[in-house]
Amino acid sequence: MNSTYFTEEHQMFRETFRDFLQKEVVPHIEKWEKTGTIERFIWKKFGDMGVFGLTYPEAYGGSNLDLFYTVIFLEEMQKIKSSGFAAAMWAHAYLAMTHLNAEGDERIKQEYLAPSIAGDKIGALCITEPFGGSDVAGMRTTAVKKGDVYVINGSKTFITNGVYADYYVVAAKTQPELGNKGISIFLIDAKTTGINATKLDKLGWRASDTAEISFDQVEIPAVNLMGEKGKGFPYIMQHFALERLIMGINAHARAEWAIDYTIEYMSQREAFGKKINQFQALRHKLVDHATDVEHCKIFNYATIDRLNKGEYVVKEATMSKLKSTKVADETIYSCLQMLGGYGYMEEYPLARLLRDSRLGPIGGGTSEILREILSKIIIDKQNYKPAVK
């Protein structure tokens, strides 16, 4: 335990949550990986345990705790052999629900945030589009106001929980002529007429449901506009800092788990009359990766600490995701190699971990996009500012 950031209470939560995962989640992982469907009961169990509401206000059933409880939540879920399951949980809790809490009015918080914390409703954040990818400002989905309703038309893709969801937090252009200044955020109930969700077949994250969603003349109440009209882009950018930090933390956690697993394997596997953990080529390679992972972890903790204090950490969060996901991919690749043929077998965890990890440099902004954002900050001296509600 890193005593700089984690207290005894944090450690108690880690142990309790770890036990919960082993008892309630791990026995079902293989089934969910095969079917691609996470059964509804587990969402309610997460809600009953209070882990969806760790950082949210007590008024809606949350615990109003610091972000290091979230770090524990993320780290422990990377150790149960299904990044897809983990993604479904954190995308609900920290993508969709973040917008409900930050931009939703009291009605939306009562009708959607509170049930989300309780595990009774599942949310999905809908930003990425089939023709846009990481180009958020280039989105084509529109929201046209007609009297007391908005009419939504367009499509979103790569949406985690897109088929499971009870509601969508959707970015759409209310004034397309204004580019990124014409984007707004809406709450759309999944039962609304005109919505169609199609499940996508993926390389990894097999347990999670990822969908392409179309909106065809979808009418929603005008009061389902969240926050201010036209402020959607800065809202998205502001929350991307947390999303990217989440993906950075996930990356260092799964890489650390891969190293731990590989060290245990090497201590048992023999070749040429001795344990393979005695071969210098493997030992030195492993400690190089362990060093990289530790650097990422310490940086990620320091950045979370700053975010927890209310600082705007868009640069550091972008660096976190860029570096940590690269280190995780390289580490897991090497760890699989150290298992030899067994690393390639599905009964061993590293084959799935390698596939699951590959999404790290893609989702939530590709590494190429992140490098350009950092170029604007570092080279062009562009100053990103938080949205003011």
Side-chain angles (χ1 to χ4, degrees):
M1 182 179 74
N2 187 320
S3 59
T4 305
Y5 303 110
F6 298 100
T7 64
E8 260 186 60
E9 287 76 14
H10 286 118
Q11 187 60 19
M12 288 171 61
F13 171 68
R14 187 185 292 276
E15 292 169 2
T16 301
F17 187 51
R18 184 181 294 163
D19 290 344
F20 168 82
L21 291 173
Q22 289 301 317
K23 179 184 176 184
E24 302 290 353
V25 177
V26 170
H28 305 285
I29 286 294
E30 294 309 314
K31 176 173 64 175
W32 294 339
E33 284 282 330
K34 286 183 174 64
T35 63
T37 301
I38 299 170
E39 292 165 281
R40 192 85 185 201
F41 75 85
I42 198 62
W43 300 84
K44 185 57 180 170
K45 284 183 180 288
F46 267 64
D48 290 344
M49 193 184 177
V51 291
F52 285 145
L54 292 172
T55 60
Y56 291 104
E58 294 178 11
Y60 309 106
S63 301
N64 199 31
L65 297 170
D66 64 71
L67 282 172
F68 283 97
Y69 284 91
T70 295
V71 170
I72 294 167
F73 173 80
L74 298 170
E75 288 180 335
E76 292 304 315
M77 284 200 296
Q78 291 299 310
K79 302 173 184 176
I80 58 171
K81 203 185 171 186
S82 178
S83 296
F85 173 82
M89 298 298 119
W90 63 254
H92 165 66
Y94 293 104
L95 299 189
M97 285 169 57
T98 293
H99 281 276
L100 295 185
N101 186 55
E103 289 104 48
D105 60 19
E106 184 61 23
R107 176 188 63 86
I108 286 173
K109 288 177 180 176
Q110 292 291 349
E111 293 181 10
Y112 290 90
L113 180 60
S116 296
I117 289 171
D120 293 323
K121 285 185 184 292
I122 300 170
L125 177 63
C126 302
I127 295 176
T128 303
E129 298 192 353
F131 302 101
S134 295
D135 180 13
V136 174
M139 70 175 58
R140 301 180 184 180
T141 299
T142 59
V144 178
K145 191 172 185 183
K146 295 184 177 179
D148 59 356
V149 302
Y150 276 97
V151 180
I152 314 292
N153 282 287
S155 58
K156 303 291 180 178
T157 196
F158 310 139
I159 306 305
T160 303
N161 296 335
V163 175
Y164 300 147
D166 297 297
Y167 64 88
Y168 304 116
V169 175
V170 179
K173 284 190 172 175
T174 41
Q175 294 172 282
E177 70 278 6
L178 298 181
N180 64 19
K181 290 183 173 62
I183 297 173
S184 301
I185 301 290
F186 297 90
L187 184 286
I188 303 180
D189 195 281
K191 295 186 178 70
T192 309
T193 302
I195 299 174
N196 183 61
T198 304
K199 195 165 190 175
L200 301 174
D201 191 13
K202 310 184 296 294
L203 172 69
W205 282 21
R206 304 291 296 182
S208 80
D209 132 56
T210 306
E212 183 164 322
I213 302 171
S214 65
F215 301 94
D216 182 12
Q217 295 294 114
V218 175
E219 292 191 7
I220 62 169
V223 292
N224 279 23
L225 169 71
M226 296 206 297
E228 291 184 37
K229 181 180 176 181
K231 288 285 186 70
F233 189 75
Y235 292 150
I236 292 165
M237 293 299 107
Q238 183 166 326
H239 300 321
F240 265 164
L242 178 59
E243 179 180 357
R244 287 167 182 161
L245 264 176
I246 284 171
M247 296 192 75
I249 291 162
N250 288 337
H252 84 231
R254 66 175 170 268
E256 190 172 52
W257 186 84
I259 289 171
D260 290 343
Y261 182 89
T262 304
I263 288 173
E264 177 63 23
Y265 176 87
M266 290 168 64
S267 72
Q268 299 176 26
R269 178 72 170 172
E270 289 191 7
F272 304 103
K274 60 181 178 180
K275 297 288 196 299
I276 65 171
N277 64 5
Q278 297 305 304
F279 289 104
Q280 186 182 81
L282 301 185
R283 291 162 65 87
H284 289 190
K285 187 74 169 174
L286 201 64
V287 298
D288 281 345
H289 287 304
T291 300
D292 289 340
V293 172
E294 191 69 16
H295 280 185
C296 288
K297 182 164 73 167
I298 291 170
F299 179 82
N300 292 343
Y301 285 174
T303 305
I304 278 284
D305 188 47
R306 290 180 57 193
L307 182 61
N308 199 52
K309 292 171 181 173
E311 295 184 38
Y312 193 55
V313 293
V314 63
K315 180 180 79 171
E316 293 80 4
T318 305
M319 289 175 167
S320 165
K321 181 183 182 298
L322 177 65
K323 184 66 174 179
S324 299
T325 56
K326 183 174 185 288
V327 164
D329 276 7
E330 292 170 347
T331 299
I332 295 164
Y333 184 96
S334 287
C335 287
L336 188 152
Q337 180 73 18
M338 291 178 195
L339 267 66
Y342 291 108
Y344 203 63
M345 298 296 109
E346 288 293 334
E347 64 187 280
Y348 287 75
L350 292 184
R352 179 182 299 162
L353 195 63
L354 182 71
R355 290 197 307 274
D356 285 351
S357 185
R358 191 59 190 85
L359 187 63
I362 299 172
T366 65
S367 293
E368 291 73 20
I369 291 293
L370 300 189
R371 289 188 182 97
E372 185 55 30
I373 291 170
L374 289 170
S375 295
K376 289 177 180 177
I377 295 171
I378 296 167
I379 299 170
D380 301 337
K381 307 301 181 185
Q382 185 166 330
N383 184 25
Y384 290 90
K385 296 180 180 179
V388 178
K389 185 177 176 182

